Amino acid sequence: MLPAAHRLRRSVDFERAVRRGVRAGRSTVVVHLSEDLEGDARPQVGFVVSKAVGNAVHRNLVKRRLRAATAARLNMLPEHGRAVVRALPASAAATFDALSDDLDRGLDRAVRRLHERAGVDR
């Protein structure tokens, strides 16, 4: 389970991560990642699972799987990282292993892009 301290809750935080961050897409998820150097020094993650994924049963199943997979991967994120994981319609039919694999690759690519951007900005 994803600890409460590592969850994004406010819509402003979701918006900042999506608009100011980098994006990495896979077949089942899209990862948006930004850094909030003024915020807490712990990574936070939020999830977006729209009705395009399926009915409430499918959406909740996808959310539970993504939360569990993300909890095991918090160490991949930067200390001040704010990530939004958006589930795509293909996630409803994906297994936990497939979602985990796509999440791994998406997070890895997003972190690399964030570091590249920081190197250019600095």
Side-chain angles (χ1 to χ4, degrees):
M1 188 59 145
L2 187 64
H6 293 284
R7 292 188 200 151
L8 280 180
R9 288 191 171 85
R10 300 181 323 156
S11 62
V12 173
D13 294 332
F14 276 83
E15 185 177 343
R16 283 185 190 146
V18 171
R19 292 188 186 218
R20 296 183 186 169
V22 296
R23 185 180 73 184
R26 302 299 302 162
S27 62
T28 59
V29 295
V30 176
V31 177
H32 299 270
L33 180 64
S34 69
E35 275 189 301
D36 181 11
L37 298 177
E38 297 172 1
D40 293 336
R42 61 178 170 246
Q44 292 183 322
V45 183
F47 303 95
V48 176
V49 184
S50 73
K51 287 186 178 182
V53 172
N55 64 21
V57 174
H58 288 111
R59 291 193 309 269
N60 287 327
L61 176 66
V62 169
K63 276 188 275 192
R64 284 193 307 271
R65 287 178 174 176
L66 286 173
R67 268 193 233 118
T70 303
R73 291 160 179 82
L74 284 173
N75 60 342
M76 293 176 69
L77 297 171
E79 280 186 359
H80 293 275
R82 302 295 181 261
V84 173
V85 179
R86 185 167 44 96
L88 298 176
S91 63
T95 64
F96 179 77
D97 291 334
L99 276 176
S100 296
D101 186 47
D102 278 357
L103 185 63
D104 273 339
R105 291 175 189 225
L107 285 173
D108 186 48
R109 183 180 290 169
V111 168
R112 273 190 279 120
R113 286 183 177 171
L114 189 65
H115 290 312
E116 288 171 4
R117 179 192 280 184
V120 170
D121 291 345
R122 290 183 186 166

